[in-house]
Amino acid sequence: MNFKIKKEYLFKHLNYVIKGISNKNIRPILNCIKFDLEKDGLYLSSTDNEIAIKTFIDKKYIEENYTCGKFVVFGKYIYEIIRKLPNEIISIEEVMNSKIFISTTNSSFSLNCNNVDEFPSLELEENKNPIILSNKVLKNIFNQTAFAASTSETRPAITGINFKIKNNILECTATDSYRLAKKTIILDESVKEDINIIIPTKNLIELSKMFSDDEEQVEIHIFNNKVIFKFETIIMLSRLINGTYPDVSKLIPTEFLLKITINMNEFYSLLDRVSLFSTEEEKNTIKLECVDNTVTVKSDIPEIGNVVEKIEVQKNNKENIKIAFSSKYMMDAIKVIDSENIELSFNGEIKPIIIKNPEDENLTQLIVPIKTY
Amino acid sequence: MNFKIKKEYLFKHLNYVIKGISNKNIRPILNCIKFDLEKDGLYLSSTDNEIAIKTFIDKKYIEENYTCGKFVVFGKYIYEIIRKLPNEIISIEEVMNSKIFISTTNSSFSLNCNNVDEFPSLELEENKNPIILSNKVLKNIFNQTAFAASTSETRPAITGINFKIKNNILECTATDSYRLAKKTIILDESVKEDINIIIPTKNLIELSKMFSDDEEQVEIHIFNNKVIFKFETIIMLSRLINGTYPDVSKLIPTEFLLKITINMNEFYSLLDRVSLFSTEEEKNTIKLECVDNTVTVKSDIPEIGNVVEKIEVQKNNKENIKIAFSSKYMMDAIKVIDSENIELSFNGEIKPIIIKNPEDENLTQLIVPIKTY
């Protein structure tokens, strides 16, 4: 096998498949990238058994007169070599003794290869009726929910994002059991069978890093134990998390004692200052009190000092509220809302706080209060 | 004591004194900033006993009708509070029970104070004949030498930068005993007595962060056990390192077997690629060979692969050389040279390599080769 290709084309695609490699893997073959040069072009693939990525470079990007073949090579090394080479034509050639030889005018690298037959087969089959969403919509879903997923392995089910589809309604939920973020999307077509799967959060973050800035359609093929995303020249597989996702539908109330509307930027800066006097050991607890149209937010560390902040708000009625919560969770929630105002809804000091963009019904966030008053 | 000041003025100066605080200090008073409001303006100071910083805000930046006084407050908290407040007029007031009260329209903070009398006196006296250098020249000295200083505490003397002055010649040297960087500066005036001091590298790095982008004169007052830098409204004291700095004058040869001139950017990229096949455990060793006008640089990790790079160079004679050295040290050395070409000088495979900018006699760098051939 030998071929020549411009650095930028090869590097663009190595940037995709490098995300399928976890460097912690003790099986060397799972730290490798497979090169498969066929008549129609070059296929690159990688897998760490939890995730698999395959991408394709059309033969029009490859210099003429190549000979087909396959090899499997250390992902980290081929990636760094190509990254550091100048943007010239790079020649890659398989030589005897399972080695490849990478060269430009002044540089020559020799890299040992692994056995092609040991590379796992990726099983990237398709489904008849994939769900189709744009990369922008998917990226937005991940940005607005992933941060709320649990990072503790004690309950694996909630370390992922739950994708639930009934008819044409997709609900994506993430929670760590102290807070929750739920995004609802209306699909163009209804599904025939209900879907309820859990996708590992970190795989979805890697996926969204591969999306280009242009709007592109993403096909989502769902199977029993895996999900496959197809877009541009890329196929990505993610294993699913086994287990039952908690039923969160009853957690989110539809009626509230009090709704307040606050300027988002001002409230975020206020929280940032109040959080100075909250500590991780105390769950970043801060106290909020709403009397008439004034919200007062307080916090203190007895040996250091205290802070009291005030902000004017709009209310939907004359109720008042006194409640404590994590400043970090509230700031995380606000950060993903893109709007001038946010709406906080309360049902009392021991009931969850609901955070919304008043102009967007599709994103609902919830924070469980902390009992201190 | 009470006064009002615009956030930006106070924050600019807190940014200086915060550098005098090491958060690791077990004596709480050394984590504090002293505020001293006098008739002429506000003095802020901090010290961790190794370094001391004092800065001054003229009364013209302070709102009228203030009352003088002093307090000592946790540096980290007052810094973060002022940083996070909007750019408004901030009111600071001393209240009973050794507390200060910081407020703007909507925010109020109360901070506990420490005893003013416990704050160390800083002894920032002046010398009759300070050395005067511009901040740009000093910054350049630090950038071009500091990286070569030792970070190991086994030989404290070489963790600092050596400042040696004889007549009007200032020589600044840093070494970790495997490499060396020496910068020479001609002073406007000669010193009466020779100077030979060692200043802790980290203090000089903090100092250079305080320099503004405008050209300013820096007065350097040297004493037996300390050095004091005065510039703009700032005074910084640094303790000196006790001990004798190694005499490096005989290390740098004046005659060479061979000098080669190489394009700097191309050589740096080449080293960056070759370093991929060098490891920290093996001291990042790479091998260079110069035959005729071609330099070949090689490296290998047997289980992974190898690299061979070639580059055309100019030579001052027909000698050839074969030598091994640390790719990291060579890259560090080249990084601080701002020139199209660099000059490497050799006296054989076990003699130091000298690195220079061919157009600048004032910076000399040395790397000890590694015996492998």
Side-chain angles (χ1 to χ4, degrees):
Chain A
M1 174 197 190
N2 71 64
F3 67 103
K4 291 190 175 70
I5 188 168
K6 210 166 174 200
K7 174 231 171 110
E8 61 179 314
Y9 301 138
L10 181 57
F11 185 61
K12 177 182 167 191
H13 288 265
L14 283 172
N15 245 320
Y16 300 136
V17 282
I18 196 73
K19 296 182 170 59
I21 291 174
S22 94
N23 282 316
K24 293 176 223 151
N25 226 299
I26 47 165
R27 279 182 61 198
I29 197 85
L30 299 185
N31 299 324
C32 287
I33 293 172
K34 183 178 174 189
F35 281 64
D36 190 347
L37 186 55
E38 312 250 350
K39 279 190 183 150
D40 55 343
L42 175 65
Y43 294 86
L44 301 178
S45 42
S46 65
T47 181
D48 69 354
N49 275 345
E50 287 302 307
I51 191 173
I53 297 167
K54 188 170 185 174
T55 179
F56 173 65
I57 306 174
D58 191 276
K59 68 166 189 271
K60 71 181 173 201
Y61 297 107
I62 300 170
E63 307 288 303
E64 280 175 24
N65 296 324
Y66 58 83
T67 58
C68 295
K70 296 172 195 187
F71 63 80
V72 167
V73 73
F74 290 113
K76 183 186 130 192
Y77 282 91
I78 185 107
Y79 175 83
E80 286 296 330
I81 290 169
I82 305 302
R83 187 172 77 82
K84 293 185 173 189
L85 279 170
N87 195 15
E88 293 177 11
I89 301 285
I90 297 171
S91 157
I92 300 188
E93 192 182 350
E94 203 185 358
V95 288
M96 53 175 190
N97 297 329
S98 11
K99 270 193 182 150
I100 57 160
F101 192 67
I102 304 161
S103 56
T104 61
T105 320
N106 295 316
S107 310
S108 341
F109 297 85
S110 152
L111 269 185
N112 299 338
C113 291
N114 272 299
N115 190 337
V116 173
D117 301 329
E118 280 179 23
F119 195 81
S121 85
L122 300 186
E123 295 164 357
L124 302 174
E125 66 269 33
E126 299 187 8
N127 212 320
K128 268 184 207 155
N129 298 301
I131 293 146
I132 294 173
L133 280 174
S134 92
N135 56 359
K136 304 260 176 205
V137 170
L138 273 173
K139 198 166 191 159
N140 205 22
I141 293 175
F142 306 154
N143 285 347
Q144 295 188 320
T145 57
F147 69 92
S150 171
T151 51
S152 145
E153 287 299 325
T154 51
R155 283 179 68 191
I158 58 170
T159 62
I161 298 181
N162 180 220
F163 281 69
K164 221 167 150 177
I165 314 179
K166 206 181 175 106
N167 303 320
N168 67 337
I169 311 282
L170 164 64
E171 272 182 16
C172 298
T173 310
T175 181
D176 61 6
S177 82
Y178 303 104
R179 56 166 161 189
L180 176 150
K182 189 176 91 171
K183 179 88 182 178
T184 306
I185 301 284
I186 312 294
L187 301 176
D188 290 342
E189 286 179 48
S190 289
V191 293
K192 280 168 196 146
E193 276 179 66
D194 291 358
I195 286 170
N196 189 349
I197 57 170
I198 312 168
I199 309 177
T201 306
K202 68 173 182 350
N203 295 356
L204 294 176
I205 291 169
E206 292 301 328
L207 171 66
S208 74
K209 287 184 196 157
M210 289 190 274
F211 291 152
S212 70
D213 292 335
D214 304 325
E215 181 119 16
E216 298 265 1
Q217 294 300 309
V218 181
E219 289 180 16
I220 309 176
H221 301 261
I222 296 172
F223 299 87
N224 269 339
N225 60 346
K226 68 186 173 194
V227 55
I228 288 169
F229 299 90
K230 276 192 72 176
F231 55 102
E232 298 170 57
T233 61
I234 303 166
I235 307 174
M236 181 185 124
L237 170 154
S238 167
R239 298 269 165 235
L240 300 180
I241 297 178
N242 287 325
T244 311
Y245 202 80
D247 180 12
V248 299
S249 60
K250 285 162 204 146
L251 283 181
I252 301 165
T254 46
E255 293 192 356
F256 297 97
L257 212 62
L258 170 68
K259 283 187 183 189
I260 63 177
T261 308
I262 313 189
N263 177 286
M264 192 192 69
N265 286 330
E266 284 179 24
F267 191 51
Y268 188 85
S269 306
L270 176 155
L271 292 168
D272 190 29
R273 290 190 294 270
V274 176
S275 70
L276 269 178
F277 289 82
S278 71
T279 62
E280 234 183 287
E281 300 88 66
E282 302 276 347
K283 296 176 189 161
N284 302 301
T285 307
I286 62 172
K287 294 171 184 181
L288 177 148
E289 194 173 351
C290 180
V291 177
D292 300 333
N293 281 82
T294 303
V295 159
T296 305
V297 188
K298 291 182 188 179
S299 191
D300 69 283
I301 304 178
E303 61 273 29
I304 308 286
N306 65 57
V307 49
V308 180
E309 290 267 351
K310 288 184 191 304
I311 186 169
E312 293 303 296
V313 302
Q314 275 116 53
K315 287 165 72 170
N316 71 331
N317 62 38
K318 293 198 165 171
E319 289 287 338
N320 292 325
I321 184 86
K322 216 172 167 184
I323 197 163
F325 53 84
S326 156
S327 60
K328 182 184 179 300
Y329 283 5
M330 187 61 85
M331 288 167 80
D332 285 350
I334 296 176
K335 238 185 253 172
V336 299
I337 297 176
D338 181 21
S339 116
E340 196 189 333
N341 293 308
I342 58 153
E343 186 183 88
L344 302 182
S345 307
F346 305 93
N347 271 324
E349 64 179 286
I350 58 163
K351 295 286 170 61
I353 306 164
I354 302 297
I355 303 123
K356 284 201 154 201
N357 171 354
E359 284 148 28
D360 176 10
E361 266 309 300
N362 294 324
L363 177 67
T364 304
Q365 299 195 67
L366 175 155
I367 293 178
V368 176
I370 300 168
K371 289 175 206 164
T372 63
Y373 278 109
Chain B
M1 174 195 188
N2 70 63
F3 67 102
K4 292 192 175 70
I5 188 167
K6 207 163 176 203
K7 174 232 171 108
E8 62 179 310
Y9 302 138
L10 181 56
F11 185 61
K12 178 184 167 190
H13 287 264
L14 283 172
N15 245 321
Y16 300 136
V17 281
I18 196 74
K19 296 182 171 59
I21 292 174
S22 93
N23 282 316
K24 292 177 223 146
N25 227 299
I26 47 164
R27 280 183 58 197
I29 197 85
L30 299 185
N31 299 324
C32 287
I33 293 172
K34 183 177 173 189
F35 281 65
D36 191 348
L37 186 55
E38 313 249 353
K39 279 190 184 150
D40 56 342
L42 176 63
Y43 294 86
L44 301 178
S45 42
S46 65
T47 180
D48 69 355
N49 276 345
E50 287 302 307
I51 190 172
I53 297 167
K54 187 170 186 174
T55 179
F56 173 66
I57 305 174
D58 191 275
K59 68 165 189 268
K60 72 182 175 202
Y61 296 107
I62 300 170
E63 306 290 303
E64 281 176 23
N65 296 323
Y66 57 83
T67 56
C68 296
K70 296 173 195 188
F71 62 81
V72 168
V73 72
F74 290 113
K76 182 187 132 194
Y77 281 90
I78 185 108
Y79 175 83
E80 286 296 329
I81 290 169
I82 305 302
R83 185 172 79 81
K84 292 184 173 188
L85 280 171
N87 195 15
E88 293 176 13
I89 300 285
I90 297 171
S91 157
I92 300 187
E93 192 181 349
E94 204 185 357
V95 288
M96 53 175 191
N97 296 329
S98 8
K99 269 191 182 153
I100 57 160
F101 193 66
I102 304 161
S103 56
T104 62
T105 319
N106 295 316
S107 309
S108 341
F109 297 85
S110 153
L111 269 186
N112 299 338
C113 291
N114 273 298
N115 191 338
V116 173
D117 301 328
E118 280 179 25
F119 196 81
S121 85
L122 299 185
E123 295 164 357
L124 302 174
E125 68 268 32
E126 299 188 7
N127 212 320
K128 269 185 209 154
N129 298 301
I131 293 146
I132 293 172
L133 279 174
S134 92
N135 55 358
K136 304 260 175 203
V137 169
L138 273 173
K139 198 166 192 159
N140 205 21
I141 293 175
F142 306 154
N143 285 347
Q144 294 189 321
T145 57
F147 69 92
S150 171
T151 52
S152 146
E153 286 300 324
T154 51
R155 283 179 67 191
I158 59 169
T159 63
I161 298 181
N162 180 219
F163 281 68
K164 221 168 153 177
I165 314 179
K166 208 182 175 108
N167 302 320
N168 67 337
I169 311 282
L170 164 64
E171 273 182 15
C172 298
T173 310
T175 182
D176 61 5
S177 81
Y178 302 105
R179 56 166 160 188
L180 176 149
K182 189 176 91 172
K183 178 88 182 177
T184 306
I185 301 284
I186 311 296
L187 300 176
D188 290 343
E189 284 179 48
S190 290
V191 293
K192 279 167 198 147
E193 276 180 65
D194 290 0
I195 286 170
N196 190 348
I197 58 171
I198 312 168
I199 309 177
T201 305
K202 69 173 181 349
N203 296 356
L204 294 176
I205 290 169
E206 291 303 327
L207 171 66
S208 74
K209 286 183 195 157
M210 289 191 273
F211 291 152
S212 71
D213 291 336
D214 304 324
E215 182 119 16
E216 299 266 1
Q217 295 299 311
V218 180
E219 288 180 16
I220 309 176
H221 300 262
I222 296 172
F223 299 87
N224 269 340
N225 60 346
K226 69 187 173 193
V227 55
I228 288 170
F229 298 90
K230 278 192 71 178
F231 55 103
E232 298 170 56
T233 62
I234 304 164
I235 307 175
M236 181 186 127
L237 170 154
S238 167
R239 298 267 164 237
L240 300 181
I241 297 177
N242 287 324
T244 310
Y245 202 81
D247 180 13
V248 299
S249 60
K250 284 162 205 150
L251 283 180
I252 302 165
T254 46
E255 293 193 354
F256 297 98
L257 212 62
L258 170 68
K259 283 186 183 191
I260 64 178
T261 307
I262 312 188
N263 178 285
M264 192 192 70
N265 285 330
E266 284 179 24
F267 191 51
Y268 188 86
S269 306
L270 175 156
L271 292 168
D272 189 30
R273 290 190 295 270
V274 176
S275 68
L276 270 179
F277 289 82
S278 70
T279 62
E280 234 184 286
E281 300 87 68
E282 302 277 347
K283 296 176 189 162
N284 301 302
T285 308
I286 62 173
K287 295 173 184 179
L288 178 150
E289 194 174 351
C290 180
V291 178
D292 300 333
N293 282 80
T294 303
V295 159
T296 305
V297 188
K298 291 182 188 180
S299 190
D300 70 284
I301 304 178
E303 60 273 32
I304 307 287
N306 66 56
V307 50
V308 181
E309 289 267 351
K310 287 184 193 300
I311 186 170
E312 293 303 297
V313 301
Q314 274 117 52
K315 286 165 70 171
N316 72 330
N317 62 39
K318 292 199 163 169
E319 289 287 335
N320 292 325
I321 184 87
K322 218 171 167 183
I323 197 163
F325 54 84
S326 157
S327 60
K328 181 182 179 304
Y329 282 4
M330 187 61 85
M331 288 167 79
D332 284 349
I334 296 176
K335 240 186 251 172
V336 300
I337 297 176
D338 181 20
S339 116
E340 197 190 332
N341 293 309
I342 58 154
E343 186 183 87
L344 301 181
S345 307
F346 304 93
N347 271 325
E349 63 179 287
I350 57 164
K351 295 286 169 60
I353 306 165
I354 302 297
I355 304 122
K356 284 201 155 204
N357 172 356
E359 283 147 29
D360 175 9
E361 267 308 301
N362 294 324
L363 178 67
T364 304
Q365 299 195 68
L366 174 155
I367 293 177
V368 177
I370 299 167
K371 289 176 206 164
T372 63
Y373 277 108

